[in-house]
Amino acid sequence: MTNEELIEKSLHERIDAISSIYLVMFEIDIINDTFTEFKSKSYVNNLIDFSKKTNCQEQINNVMKNLANDETRPAILDFINFKTLNERLAHKNTITEEFQGTVNKKIWARARFIVIDRLEDGSVNHVLWLVESIDAEKKENERLQKEAEISKATSKAKSTFLANMSHEIRTPINAILGMNEMILRETNINQIYEYAENIKAAGKVLLSIVNDILDFSKVEAGKMEILPQQYDLSAIIVELINMIKPRAEEKNLEFIVDINKNIPRELYGDNIRIKQCILNLLTNAVKYTQKGHVTFAINFETIDQEYINLIIKVSDTGIGINKEDLQKIFYPFDRVDEERNKTIEGTGLGLSIVQSLLKQMESKLEIKTEYNVGSEFSFKLKQKIMTDEKVGDLKHVYESTVKIEKYKELLHAPDAKLLFVDDTQMNLDVCVGLLKKTQIQVDTATSGMAALQKVCNKKYDIIFIDHRMPQMDGIETLEAMKHLPENLNNDTPSVALTANAIQGSREMYLKSGFTDYLPKPINPAKLENLIRKYLPADLIKANSEGEVEQSPSEEIDDKDLPNLEGIDIHFGLNNCGDFGLLKQMFCQFHDTIDQKAEELQSYLNENNIQDYKIKVHALKSTSRLIGAVHLSEKAELLEHAAESGKIDFIKENTPELLSQYQKFKEILRDYTEKKEGSENKEKIDNNSLKEKLKELIQGIEDYDYDKLENIQKFLNSYELPLDFSSFYDRINSCIYNVDFDGLNLLIPELQKRIQ
Ligand code: ADP
């Protein structure tokens, strides 16, 4: 055979093979409405008049009317309509339509047009008309689909089972932890206390594992929703640092924080999930690093005026991950390098959850890692910008959170007498509070004039005078004392207090006649050291070796501290020494907001910049005292403006300052003095109550004790509807007794009240 003959033979064989699956093969001349038949099955042959080969449209219509069953007939008739063919084939060379037959066991078939030739204007001239049997294919698809459905249902059942199980497991764990908490509170026996501490530690690990499983199964079951809302990025950062820094330091790791000050502060996104992702990476970094450092960096890139990409990076100098293992770290329950990591607790779920959450937020985790050198995990998140505000310098946060140095008094001097002069009552109260346990007798005066009277009546051992006061400032007060003939305190050491400590302050105050100076907010230890320095030795009853029995002071646990918006609680604690005093300061700060804000506003209205300056200075120092750092910074800006007479700036920025200030009425509402005695309580509005009850149900379902306590605190500060109060007593008593079973029983009634 010649080459050509060979090719022709092979072509015929192929066409033969192909034609065995085709029921019909026609070439159609659309314009002339004629056809050439290559092949058709016998039951098709009977429907066509081959003698004519004309009226093609009519003939095909006739074939399809008979071939297709009732359901698929209309669509297939549309499909073979020559009139619309041109349009449908304008941008492609083939189109198909499936239909089910009436004969031959109702097999499924697919009709197809293929363009063979077009006219110059692109319209279709000749087409190939094919009908092929797709029954086997269809059956296979159906089988696969069914299988996929079964497997999906099985997997869903598994996830739901896991979710339910972990939910169920949390009940007894929480009961154990709750009861254990009672033991911790009530036992006086050291050994028992230690056992209970161990139960608590192990319980918390168990709880975190169960929570991981719950999150993972939620992701699997597609129940983990992304709920975006407006949030404050700096709050997330502060919270994360507060959580991770102590853990890093416990392992002697350096914790480096690198936050771009210019990142927009108010963003729109799912803050809870973002925090969860970062926390996971930070926890891993600390977990898998034995020495060196862990770095937490946040930067951003501008997309346009409305959007940025947040860039989050967590790196460590830890054990790193093998190249071969890199893919595996995202597999749920897979932990790599098991031999090396066997002493490190983990479920192998964290990164898989992070990856899923990031995917839902249209991002993904990037990893750079070197075995035995360290790793870097990073991701980018597109977020909407809500205001012009920037996160600013958060340094004071991580500098003040180094460790909560528990304040313990170093000296007792019950016979010593001190005078504190300050125009801000809160500052005086803090001094009194700080010195309470030293038993020193403390007098206070709220103005220079008042101080002049006091120094004539009593001999003090040290006098502390605030610099910036209205009418007579600290330096003038000291000067006036010197010239007062009845003054019993001419040789008493005097200490200047200032919130504006700058370089050279000390020299300035010494020159003005002071013995020493102390920057505000007052550091408890520094205050005591200073007192020790200037107090006559015979008045001091014990020294720092601790000969004196120290009164027990409140143990501060990071977890027990409230999370208050705009307040750096650690900073406040450092200033007040213990949480009791800080709470007292919150109260005073809260209860004077209206009055102080009004004063500021009226000085401004009167253009009395001198007094405005003093008031805004006082606000700077009291807000610093309680840890309201941003507010304090704002007040400081305005104080500077007042100093340099920038009235326009003051007028422009005071409203913003006051509105920030007013917000603390809400933030600190739990600390108001007024909340005792219901006659002063505000009536709760119905919607807020419902909202809180919804949260309460959620808290009960999640076994989230902290949440329940917060809700309880919130509700306690309101006057509740009469018909609710006895039910609320039941809720309260269950919360107090950590009785989740009891709370669960209350859910139906709670639900009724929400409707
Ligand atoms: P686990 O609960 O085991 O920590 P993860 O899903 O968070 O689970 O992490 C999966 C695995 O990835 C870990 O078991 C560990 O081997 C590895 N890994 C994660 N983070 C780090 C890191 N920072 N350094 C080294 N290995 C890491």
Side-chain angles (χ1 to χ4, degrees):
M1 268 197 275
T2 65
N3 247 354
E4 269 153 38
E5 281 167 339
L6 269 175
I7 292 173
E8 203 178 319
K9 183 170 174 261
S10 131
L11 202 61
H12 273 289
E13 278 167 5
R14 283 190 194 189
I15 291 179
D16 238 26
I18 294 172
S19 69
S20 67
I21 59 167
Y22 285 105
L23 313 178
V24 182
M25 284 170 95
F26 281 13
E27 187 196 331
I28 302 172
D29 181 333
I30 302 279
I31 294 170
N32 297 315
D33 200 15
T34 59
F35 68 89
T36 315
E37 177 234 14
F38 294 129
K39 158 186 181 145
S40 44
K41 292 273 185 209
S42 52
Y43 50 84
V44 179
N45 287 347
N46 300 337
L47 298 165
I48 293 181
D49 178 359
F50 288 102
S51 63
K52 282 196 193 145
K53 310 238 168 171
T54 52
N55 287 340
C56 181
Q57 175 82 80
E58 200 186 305
Q59 297 221 45
I60 295 184
N61 280 357
N62 193 33
V63 173
M64 294 318 296
K65 257 185 222 156
N66 284 287
L67 271 191
N69 68 0
D70 289 351
E71 284 101 71
T72 54
R73 190 178 302 122
I76 198 73
L77 289 180
D78 270 353
F79 177 75
I80 55 175
N81 186 352
F82 290 179
K83 287 199 185 104
T84 58
L85 208 50
N86 244 326
E87 206 178 301
R88 287 178 285 146
L89 283 168
H91 301 290
K92 42 190 166 193
N93 276 327
T94 183
I95 48 175
T96 64
E97 175 73 29
E98 290 173 8
F99 68 94
Q100 195 172 19
T102 46
V103 287
N104 207 355
K105 295 188 203 144
K106 300 190 171 178
I107 62 163
W108 274 93
R110 181 188 293 131
R112 180 191 296 275
F113 284 114
I114 302 174
V115 178
I116 300 177
D117 192 23
R118 290 180 194 265
L119 295 178
E120 262 179 22
D121 65 358
S123 58
V124 177
N125 184 3
H126 279 84
V127 292
L128 209 56
W129 157 251
L130 309 170
V131 177
E132 65 189 297
S133 159
I134 54 164
D135 218 43
E137 181 186 323
K138 198 91 181 167
K139 284 207 177 93
E140 179 63 9
N141 275 347
E142 268 168 22
R143 192 185 64 78
L144 287 177
Q145 205 171 344
K146 242 184 217 146
E147 237 171 48
E149 268 164 24
I150 293 172
S151 129
K152 214 168 139 190
T154 318
S155 155
K156 197 164 171 209
K158 194 183 76 191
S159 301
T160 311
F161 169 75
L162 267 179
N164 289 341
M165 271 308 286
S166 26
H167 206 106
E168 291 304 315
I169 293 171
R170 286 209 293 195
T171 319
I173 300 178
N174 273 294
I176 293 169
L177 282 174
M179 287 302 127
N180 191 56
E181 200 59 43
M182 295 303 218
I183 298 177
L184 282 168
R185 274 186 220 169
E186 286 171 19
T187 185
N188 296 320
I189 306 166
N190 267 343
Q191 191 63 47
I192 302 278
Y193 190 86
E194 249 169 58
Y195 291 150
E197 277 285 329
N198 289 337
I199 294 178
K200 186 171 174 175
K204 292 244 147 132
V205 172
L206 189 54
L207 206 54
S208 84
I209 293 174
V210 173
N211 282 337
D212 262 2
I213 296 179
L214 185 60
D215 274 351
F216 169 75
S217 37
K218 269 194 203 156
V219 168
E220 283 276 280
K223 280 189 189 146
M224 190 72 114
E225 278 175 75
I226 298 297
L227 298 169
Q229 57 178 356
Q230 181 168 345
Y231 69 93
D232 176 354
L233 179 65
S234 66
I236 296 188
I237 299 175
V238 169
E239 211 178 310
L240 286 167
I241 296 175
N242 285 343
M243 281 196 263
I244 292 299
K245 190 159 178 151
R247 293 190 214 169
E249 279 164 359
E250 213 167 89
K251 285 184 79 177
N252 277 327
L253 300 173
E254 193 188 350
F255 185 55
I256 304 170
V257 180
D258 179 12
I259 314 281
N260 184 339
K261 284 183 208 172
N262 294 318
I263 311 175
R265 183 172 163 178
E266 294 288 329
L267 298 172
Y268 188 81
D270 189 336
N271 50 338
I272 296 182
R273 297 300 164 216
I274 296 172
K275 199 165 68 192
Q276 183 178 3
C277 290
I278 306 177
L279 182 62
N280 234 306
L281 299 182
L282 285 170
T283 312
N284 276 349
V286 172
K287 237 167 46 172
Y288 296 106
T289 304
Q290 294 316 325
K291 58 173 192 285
H293 57 253
V294 167
T295 305
F296 171 30
I298 306 194
N299 209 332
F300 76 111
E301 56 192 20
T302 307
I303 298 177
D304 53 35
Q305 278 185 327
E306 270 187 274
Y307 289 96
I308 54 160
N309 268 329
L310 267 185
I311 306 169
I312 286 131
K313 240 182 230 165
V314 173
S315 48
D316 62 56
T317 53
I319 61 174
I321 303 166
N322 250 326
K323 284 262 158 350
E324 308 85 74
D325 289 333
L326 254 185
Q327 269 320 304
K328 285 205 288 185
I329 59 173
F330 294 120
Y331 298 159
F333 300 105
D334 229 337
R335 307 194 64 211
V336 300
D337 224 346
E338 296 252 19
E339 193 46 40
R340 202 169 52 148
N341 294 340
K342 67 179 171 216
T343 55
I344 305 175
E345 261 145 12
T347 52
L349 287 174
L351 288 179
S352 137
I353 295 171
V354 170
Q355 191 69 307
S356 309
L357 288 175
L358 288 180
K359 191 169 161 207
Q360 274 182 278
M361 295 190 277
E362 283 158 14
S363 172
K364 73 185 222 293
L365 203 56
E366 307 282 347
I367 306 172
K368 289 184 201 154
T369 176
E370 203 175 318
Y371 200 57
N372 285 329
V373 176
S375 319
E376 178 192 284
F377 290 79
S378 63
F379 62 89
K380 273 186 190 180
L381 272 182
K382 186 174 170 184
Q383 302 280 285
K384 191 168 183 198
I385 310 167
M386 302 307 283
T387 68
D388 293 339
E389 217 176 327
K390 313 275 183 244
V391 291
D393 193 356
L394 294 169
K395 247 206 177 80
H396 61 270
V397 176
Y398 34 95
E399 278 175 0
S400 70
T401 53
V402 183
K403 218 171 222 167
I404 311 171
E405 289 279 2
K406 220 156 61 31
Y407 166 72
K408 280 215 170 112
E409 67 279 12
L410 302 169
L411 67 106
H412 280 206
D415 299 325
K417 299 177 189 73
L418 306 185
L419 174 64
F420 282 88
V421 188
D422 194 313
D423 62 308
T424 309
Q425 188 63 41
M426 254 179 86
N427 290 336
L428 291 174
D429 290 342
V430 119
C431 297
V432 174
L434 285 177
L435 292 173
K436 200 154 125 202
K437 289 173 193 158
T438 64
Q439 296 172 341
I440 293 175
Q441 303 169 34
V442 181
D443 280 358
T444 60
T446 51
S447 69
M449 282 310 274
L452 293 184
Q453 249 182 3
K454 298 239 161 177
V455 292
C456 295
N457 295 334
K458 204 190 247 177
K459 166 85 179 99
Y460 292 102
D461 297 301
I462 310 170
I463 299 173
F464 294 83
I465 309 175
D466 182 37
H467 180 179
R468 184 151 283 172
M469 293 187 290
Q471 281 119 29
M472 208 194 283
D473 76 11
I475 297 177
E476 288 163 346
T477 305
L478 187 69
E479 195 58 28
M481 282 181 189
K482 293 228 160 98
H483 295 103
L484 202 65
E486 299 89 350
N487 184 0
L488 304 174
N489 291 284
N490 263 327
D491 52 357
T492 303
S494 56
V495 178
L497 300 173
T498 176
N500 290 351
I502 45 164
Q503 252 191 346
S505 291
R506 185 186 180 80
E507 288 69 31
M508 194 270 284
Y509 288 114
L510 296 193
K511 240 192 185 155
S512 310
F514 283 96
T515 322
D516 212 328
Y517 99 108
L518 199 60
K520 286 201 291 192
I522 294 174
N523 174 291
K526 279 196 185 142
L527 174 64
E528 280 201 3
N529 278 335
L530 206 116
I531 294 173
R532 175 183 298 283
K533 191 165 159 194
Y534 295 110
L535 213 57
D538 58 331
L539 291 179
I540 299 176
K541 291 283 183 268
N543 61 24
S544 58
E545 267 83 64
E547 284 164 21
V548 71
E549 197 194 325
Q550 300 199 330
S551 29
S553 66
E554 188 186 357
E555 201 55 65
I556 314 163
D557 191 334
D558 224 11
K559 300 179 298 298
D560 298 337
L561 294 174
N563 189 358
L564 300 168
E565 191 193 329
I567 289 191
D568 176 353
I569 197 98
H570 294 90
F571 194 63
L573 264 178
N574 272 345
N575 298 331
C576 292
D578 73 22
F579 190 45
L581 187 54
L582 179 59
K583 278 195 280 197
Q584 215 177 310
M585 292 303 119
F586 281 162
C587 248
Q588 287 195 26
F589 190 85
H590 173 274
D591 291 353
T592 51
I593 291 176
D594 280 336
Q595 179 211 336
K596 305 257 174 217
E598 229 176 273
E599 277 172 3
L600 259 176
Q601 186 64 56
S602 65
Y603 286 136
L604 181 60
N605 294 346
E606 294 159 11
N607 266 334
N608 179 351
I609 299 306
Q610 192 54 34
D611 285 329
Y612 177 91
K613 184 174 82 183
I614 285 167
K615 289 294 161 195
V616 89
H617 170 88
L619 177 57
K620 173 186 84 176
S621 98
T622 51
S623 47
R624 252 182 93 85
L625 180 69
I626 61 160
V629 194
H630 275 289
L631 181 64
S632 172
E633 280 165 3
K634 250 218 163 102
E636 186 169 5
L637 276 181
L638 285 158
E639 184 191 1
H640 289 320
E643 237 149 33
S644 43
K646 290 186 189 142
I647 311 253
D648 287 347
F649 184 87
I650 296 176
K651 288 208 164 127
E652 226 168 82
N653 288 284
T654 302
E656 166 67 22
L657 173 80
L658 291 181
S659 101
Q660 256 196 40
Y661 189 18
Q662 292 283 0
K663 274 194 200 150
F664 283 87
K665 277 210 297 212
E666 180 57 36
I667 297 169
L668 296 176
R669 67 178 314 148
D670 287 344
Y671 298 94
T672 169
E673 211 95 75
K674 291 177 201 138
K675 86 176 194 209
E676 260 51 81
S678 69
E679 51 300 344
N680 284 325
K681 285 186 191 173
E682 211 177 296
K683 274 204 176 97
I684 193 161
D685 82 83
N686 210 16
N687 283 337
S688 314
L689 180 62
K690 280 185 181 171
E691 202 50 48
K692 281 293 145 184
L693 295 186
K694 251 188 238 163
E695 279 178 34
L696 195 66
I697 295 179
Q698 193 61 52
I700 297 171
E701 283 174 350
D702 291 346
Y703 298 89
D704 188 340
Y705 193 69
D706 289 347
K707 190 175 195 163
L708 297 185
E709 278 194 323
N710 281 335
I711 297 168
Q712 190 184 27
K713 243 192 238 159
F714 178 88
L715 290 177
N716 283 345
S717 63
Y718 280 99
E719 186 186 330
L720 302 171
L722 272 180
D723 67 334
F724 179 67
S725 66
S726 72
F727 179 52
Y728 184 56
D729 285 344
R730 277 162 63 201
I731 299 175
N732 259 333
S733 120
C734 286
I735 295 180
Y736 181 76
N737 293 314
V738 205
D739 175 8
F740 276 96
D741 288 340
L743 284 167
N744 265 307
L745 292 178
L746 300 179
I747 288 183
E749 167 123 28
L750 279 166
Q751 265 156 350
K752 229 191 275 158
R753 284 184 180 260
I754 292 168
Q755 272 142 26

